Amino acid sequence: MGSITLEHVNKSFGTHAVIPDISLDIKDGEFIVFVGPSGCGKSTLLRLIAGLEDTTSGVIKLDGKDMTDAAPAHRQLSMVFQSYALYPHMTVYGNIAFPLKMANQPKDVIDKKVKDAARVLNLTDYLERKPRNLSGGQRQRVAIGRAIVRQPKAFLFDEPLSNLDAALRVNMRLEITELHQQLKTTMIYVTHDQVEAMTMADKIVVLNAGRVEQFGSPLELYRSPANRFVAGFIGSPKMNFVDGAEAAKYNAHSIGVRPEHFTISRTSMPGSWKGTIGVAEQLGSDTFLHVHVDSFGLMTIRTQGEQEFHHGETVYLVPDATRIYRFDKDAQSLK
């Protein structure tokens, strides 16, 4: 079992509340992603769960048992950090086996667990290598292997892919997702990358200034954002926002339209917004157009790939009336 419950958890440094008040219920076996901008408190929240930081107030329960004041070693959680933190003088086998040796496990048990973990992570052929002879992705898998052999109730990942290049990030993202499907163990993953959050998570916790803005599945957050912050943070490219008289037409303080929810044309259409293309990013499968719209400012439009739009062209945009998001003066979503 690996359920984790937070009840009114608060963390303050002096008079500054980093985590003002958070309550969450994470079920056994779920893959949860904490996402938000830098400084929003996501790593601090993960460290509170791990026991690496003390709570100021509130309760943290693991499988229903109060572990708020328990030492990290007693929580049966394994943490994988941004830094691999491997011992350079040890082989891959030695690095993965290290926590088991520290726990005085029998040699035959250690050998079986290390080889089982290596098989799951495709490291069997690298067990005798030193970390300096591994790629970044392989080193990260070794760090994950060291966590796996402890057979924890939950894995905690603190931005584990941020040191990798773009291609390796994609590969490791898939590997960690597949690992979760194999192990069926609770995982909490911290990232500032909302694409990682959307592609990996069963549920996402969107954090802003230490507060939970919304907690739900990726598609729930995409389709029904609770407020303008979530609407702007979830989705890539980000949502376009319009205030003023245009928003008032929809009985809202502001409206939002995702880049993919526009019709674009070179000829004027009823209800269209006239604009001029600034930059056209032609990616093959998609084309992203950055359009300077009269009165509204810069807007991002996503259209089909291989479109022959160019800098300086005049275009007309029509938002899909059924996909317009409305927000009140407090930036909360209107139904």
Side-chain angles (χ1 to χ4, degrees):
M1 296 292 288
S3 65
I4 299 172
T5 304
L6 280 64
E7 298 177 355
H8 302 291
V9 170
N10 171 288
K11 177 61 180 179
S12 298
F13 294 102
T15 58
H16 177 59
V18 180
I19 306 290
D21 187 334
I22 284 183
S23 295
L24 286 173
D25 186 15
I26 298 170
K27 295 180 174 59
D28 178 44
E30 285 188 319
F31 196 128
I32 304 297
V33 175
F34 295 167
V35 69
S38 297
C40 71
K42 52 190 182 291
S43 289
T44 299
L45 184 58
L46 194 74
R47 291 173 64 84
L48 289 172
I49 293 171
L52 300 176
E53 296 279 358
D54 295 328
T55 59
T56 302
S57 63
V59 176
I60 297 175
K61 294 180 179 179
L62 305 179
D63 288 337
K65 183 179 180 181
D66 187 348
M67 301 294 282
T68 310
D69 299 319
H74 297 153
R75 299 193 183 201
Q76 293 181 270
L77 304 174
S78 281
M79 195 158 182
V80 179
F81 297 92
Q82 177 178 339
S83 170
Y84 316 129
L86 302 179
Y87 296 104
H89 64 287
M90 291 184 182
T91 62
V92 169
Y93 186 103
N95 270 282
I96 296 176
F98 185 76
L100 300 177
K101 290 180 178 178
M102 294 298 293
N104 295 316
Q105 292 281 322
K107 286 186 178 181
D108 58 333
V109 172
I110 293 175
D111 189 65
K112 183 179 186 306
K113 288 185 176 182
V114 170
K115 289 179 178 177
D116 286 346
R119 185 178 64 257
V120 169
L121 296 166
N122 295 317
L123 290 171
T124 301
D125 294 336
Y126 304 96
L127 287 174
E128 298 308 315
R129 291 193 186 184
K130 298 288 181 63
R132 64 177 176 271
N133 297 321
L134 302 175
S135 68
Q138 289 166 342
R139 292 177 192 176
Q140 192 57 272
R141 290 207 299 270
V142 175
I144 294 170
R146 190 171 52 194
I148 287 176
V149 295
R150 295 180 58 198
Q151 296 180 318
K153 290 185 175 181
F155 292 95
L156 311 179
F157 294 90
D158 191 4
E159 301 204 48
L161 308 186
S162 57
N163 288 337
L164 305 180
D165 62 37
L168 269 178
R169 283 182 74 117
V170 173
N171 289 339
M172 283 301 301
R173 192 170 74 204
L174 294 172
E175 289 183 14
I176 292 174
T177 304
E178 289 180 357
L179 180 65
H180 174 254
Q181 292 170 354
Q182 289 180 49
L183 300 179
K184 308 295 184 186
T185 305
T186 306
M187 292 186 178
I188 303 178
Y189 186 101
V190 164
T191 182
H192 63 274
D193 185 340
Q194 61 93 19
V195 174
E196 282 186 10
M198 291 289 287
T199 54
M200 299 176 77
D202 294 326
K203 291 182 181 176
I204 297 173
V205 179
V206 181
L207 291 165
N208 180 29
R211 293 179 172 84
V212 176
E213 296 287 353
Q214 194 168 353
F215 179 35
S217 72
L219 285 180
E220 285 174 350
L221 271 57
Y222 178 82
R223 291 170 176 164
S224 304
N227 52 45
R228 181 165 165 161
F229 178 85
V230 176
F233 198 85
I234 297 296
S236 181
K238 67 181 296 184
M239 184 180 286
N240 301 287
F241 295 103
V242 176
D243 303 320
E246 187 66 23
K249 295 178 182 178
Y250 297 89
N251 297 316
H253 185 267
S254 64
I255 60 172
V257 186
R258 296 200 182 278
E260 56 268 33
H261 295 158
F262 283 94
T263 299
I264 183 169
S265 173
R266 291 184 172 89
T267 57
S268 180
M269 297 178 289
S272 62
W273 302 344
K274 182 181 178 181
T276 304
I277 296 175
V279 176
E281 298 179 295
Q282 295 171 332
L283 306 180
S285 59
D286 296 296
T287 295
F288 297 143
L289 302 175
H290 301 273
V291 182
H292 298 273
V293 178
D294 300 344
S295 303
F296 301 158
L298 185 65
M299 308 196 78
T300 303
I301 311 302
R302 182 176 188 170
T303 186
Q304 294 179 353
E306 303 180 46
Q307 295 280 354
E308 294 295 329
F309 288 103
H310 303 286
H311 170 77
E313 274 194 83
T314 297
V315 292
Y316 298 86
L317 311 175
V318 177
D320 182 345
T322 66
R323 306 301 292 271
I324 290 176
Y325 294 85
R326 302 184 307 127
F327 306 96
D328 63 19
K329 61 181 178 59
D330 297 318
Q332 299 300 304
S333 291
L334 294 167
K335 301 298 183 184

